[in-house]
Amino acid sequence: MTADFRQGFVSHTEDIERTSLPVTGDLPAWLEGTLIRNGPARFEAGPHSYRHWFDGLAMLHSFHLAAGQVHYTGRFIQSRQYARDTAAGSIHYSGFAIDPCRSLFSRVMSVFFPEETGNNTNVNVARLAGRYLALTETPLAMEFDPRTLATLGVVGYDDDLTGQVTTAHPHDDPDLHAGINLMTHFGPTTQYHLFRITATGRTRIAAIPVQQPAYMHSFGLTQRYIVLCEFSFRLPHVLKLAFRTRPFIENFVFQPQQDTVFTVVDKVSGAVVARVPADPFFAFHHVNAYEDGDRLIVDICAYEDAALIGQLYLDALRGPGGAPQVGQLRRYSVPLAGGRATWELLSTDSLDLPRIHYRRCNGRDYQFAYGAGGRSGTQDFLNQLVKVDVKQRTSRTWYAPGCYPGEPVFVPAPDAAAEDDGVLLSVVLDAAAGTSFLLVLAAATMTEIARAQVPAPLPFGFHGQFFGGV
Ligand code: CO
């Protein structure tokens, strides 16, 4: 086995039963709850590879923290795709960058009827209306038990909201007491649907027609507005998706001559209040957004173009070539009364997989963003954690040679006064040791408080959440 970051792309085949992890350092007594993370963990079905990192089979990882102890459980999501592909040893469902369908009929069916997808929900987790859900970019979520990680089943909605692609980054709106998400309906008239989710179901906020839909992995939410950033990575001909000869994402084209557009939507009335052009760019992740007089501030992990998507094919990641690019933390100033959006760099440290003190700061002026980045001067996978003070424009990092940290999840201390009073939880691959560990950092100083050793190298994940009281 290779001793570098590529261990994070090695397939796992078995669940890992609940096990107690040895802890070094001192876990804060107040840190009680469960970090649940999601990500692809198995990249082959028989002799066939899924091609792209984003198409690997979903595995949930839980770290239960209580009384100074940590217990880990890892379990594959029992999706239709997992069951069929692993039993048959071949690939049966369309995904982000795979399309095994042979006949025109089944291609069209798999685009227009989401129940025909494999429901490989490998991107994120959320607690929505009291249910614990694993999410991906096809609309149906998978409910799971947060204690055992057992798959409970597909969550469907009996309403007239339709669409084929959604985001795995719903927002939580404290004013509306609802989740908010985006779903794109590709068809003769393509529309972005914005909607609320509560315990009683989904309600449409807006239906916005679009000629050339953008691929959007996330969006922003201020106190009044939903902020769509329609990147210059767009689908030129919607019908090509229905009668496609290419996998989903390979139909999108980065168009360097086409502006990126910030589309600003009133979150209550659904009215489009502004469309603000910006020079072309691409991103997966919004960091935060807020209102500042007659403009919006939109912080985002930006890329010059969409080349990163190509760099995340498994052949590229596992091969001898260079490591994927990492985004730069840009602050866009979005004027609501006319004009173009402009940007400035918030940090010279690269950053993606961003997190903030969400409950306190989302949609509001704030001070700290956290993420994983690449240490300057290294040509490597994500190899450090970064904290950016977006007011002072300074940063602090955590780095250890040969270690590859994942998304840092901020957990606030109880009754915290300072925005950064709390810890960051990150699952780190220690390539030299051939193991992973859960790293607990003091968010204020980015110094290690404790770590819990996992007896195996865990595959890199995408996103996770900390759930108190679980
Ligand atoms: Co994401």
Side-chain angles (χ1 to χ4, degrees):
M1 185 185 286
T2 167
D4 68 11
F5 71 83
R6 293 168 181 85
Q7 288 171 85
F9 300 106
V10 172
S11 281
H12 285 235
T13 54
E14 304 290 337
D15 290 347
I16 301 171
E17 296 304 323
R18 181 179 158 91
T19 180
S20 175
L21 305 184
V23 175
T24 53
D26 290 309
L27 290 171
W30 56 262
L31 187 60
E32 297 226 348
T34 304
L35 173 72
I36 302 181
R37 297 193 53 76
N38 198 350
R42 184 166 174 170
F43 306 98
E44 289 85 25
H48 308 284
S49 173
Y50 288 118
R51 293 184 71 223
H52 201 279
W53 185 26
F54 293 3
D55 283 319
L57 292 172
M59 188 176 194
L60 294 173
H61 308 268
S62 80
F63 295 85
H64 176 69
L65 300 106
Q69 295 194 308
V70 182
H71 286 84
Y72 168 81
T73 306
R75 212 170 287 291
F76 281 95
I77 293 176
Q78 299 297 309
S79 66
R80 187 199 307 246
Q81 180 171 334
Y82 178 87
R84 191 165 171 200
D85 285 9
T86 55
S90 51
I91 295 171
H92 295 270
Y93 296 96
S94 301
F96 184 77
I98 42 172
D99 186 9
C101 297
R102 295 273 177 259
S103 76
L104 184 63
F105 176 73
S106 58
R107 270 187 228 140
V108 174
M109 290 296 283
S110 67
V111 168
F112 288 110
F113 294 89
E115 63 272 24
E116 293 300 318
T117 71
N119 235 40
N120 177 34
T121 50
N122 66 5
V123 182
N124 200 355
V125 295
R127 179 164 52 192
L128 279 176
R131 300 166 109 172
Y132 293 84
L133 305 177
L135 307 173
T136 185
E137 297 188 340
T138 48
L140 298 180
M142 291 288 261
E143 187 175 6
F144 63 89
D145 181 322
R147 290 179 182 79
T148 65
L149 302 184
T151 304
L152 299 179
V154 175
V155 176
Y157 293 95
D158 183 19
D159 59 29
D160 63 352
L161 275 166
T162 56
Q164 298 86 0
V165 174
T166 187
T167 89
H169 291 282
H171 273 288
D172 202 5
D173 191 302
D175 306 324
L176 301 176
H177 302 289
I180 292 181
N181 208 349
L182 158 72
M183 181 161 59
T184 304
H185 179 100
F186 298 98
T189 305
T190 295
Q191 293 181 313
Y192 301 134
H193 292 296
L194 293 166
F195 58 93
R196 290 192 287 271
I197 318 167
T198 64
T200 56
R202 306 188 298 187
T203 314
R204 184 184 285 107
I205 298 170
I208 304 167
V210 55
Q211 286 285 331
Q212 296 193 355
Y215 171 72
M216 288 182 279
H217 178 84
S218 65
F219 59 97
L221 179 68
T222 73
Q223 290 181 270
R224 292 168 61 192
Y225 303 118
I226 296 164
V227 185
L228 302 184
C229 191
E230 297 183 69
F231 304 111
S232 309
F233 187 55
R234 290 173 180 256
L235 181 63
H237 305 288
V238 170
L239 269 180
K240 279 198 174 163
L241 198 62
F243 298 95
R244 67 191 189 276
T245 53
R246 297 172 174 195
F248 171 74
I249 200 62
E250 293 176 7
N251 293 282
F252 287 76
V253 180
F254 189 81
Q255 298 171 346
Q257 75 289 359
Q258 189 168 6
D259 282 337
T260 288
V261 178
F262 289 90
T263 296
V264 182
V265 182
D266 185 301
K267 77 178 186 186
V268 176
S269 73
V272 174
V273 301
R275 289 185 192 271
V276 184
D279 288 348
F281 74 103
F282 176 72
F284 285 108
H285 296 117
H286 284 250
V287 180
N288 199 2
Y290 61 91
E291 295 147 32
D292 179 28
D294 58 358
R295 64 176 187 159
L296 302 184
I297 298 299
V298 182
D299 294 349
I300 209 159
C301 294
Y303 296 79
E304 290 295 318
D305 57 32
L308 174 63
I309 290 173
Q311 295 162 10
L312 300 178
Y313 281 84
L314 290 162
D315 279 353
L317 289 168
R318 289 166 165 173
Q325 298 167 261
V326 189
Q328 49 179 203
L329 180 54
R330 291 185 187 173
R331 168 158 291 180
Y332 279 84
S333 174
V334 180
L336 296 176
R340 292 178 69 82
T342 55
W343 63 270
E344 57 186 323
L345 198 58
L346 291 178
S347 171
T348 53
D349 284 307
S350 65
L351 187 84
D352 209 325
L353 302 173
R355 300 299 293 241
I356 58 172
H357 184 335
Y358 187 89
R359 203 175 59 231
R360 180 189 293 200
C361 299
N362 191 61
R364 294 173 162 79
D365 191 4
Y366 74 117
Q367 190 169 4
F368 299 113
Y370 311 92
R375 192 167 182 80
S376 88
T378 61
Q379 186 70 9
D380 206 349
F381 200 67
L382 298 168
N383 63 359
Q384 67 177 0
L385 294 172
V386 183
K387 173 191 183 184
V388 178
D389 180 330
V390 301
K391 292 198 176 299
Q392 304 295 327
R393 311 287 164 95
T394 56
S395 60
R396 288 174 182 256
T397 59
W398 176 89
Y399 169 80
C403 285
Y404 299 93
E407 175 198 51
V409 175
F410 178 78
V411 185
D415 307 317
E419 185 185 315
D420 60 350
D421 183 3
V423 298
L424 294 173
L425 302 178
S426 173
V427 177
V428 181
L429 174 69
D430 182 342
T435 59
S436 294
F437 58 90
L438 177 68
L439 174 68
V440 185
L441 293 184
T445 59
M446 296 296 280
T447 52
E448 178 173 338
I449 298 173
R451 66 172 69 184
Q453 198 72 42
V454 182
L458 298 180
F460 292 125
F462 295 133
H463 302 294
Q465 309 295 338
F466 184 80
F467 301 109
V470 176

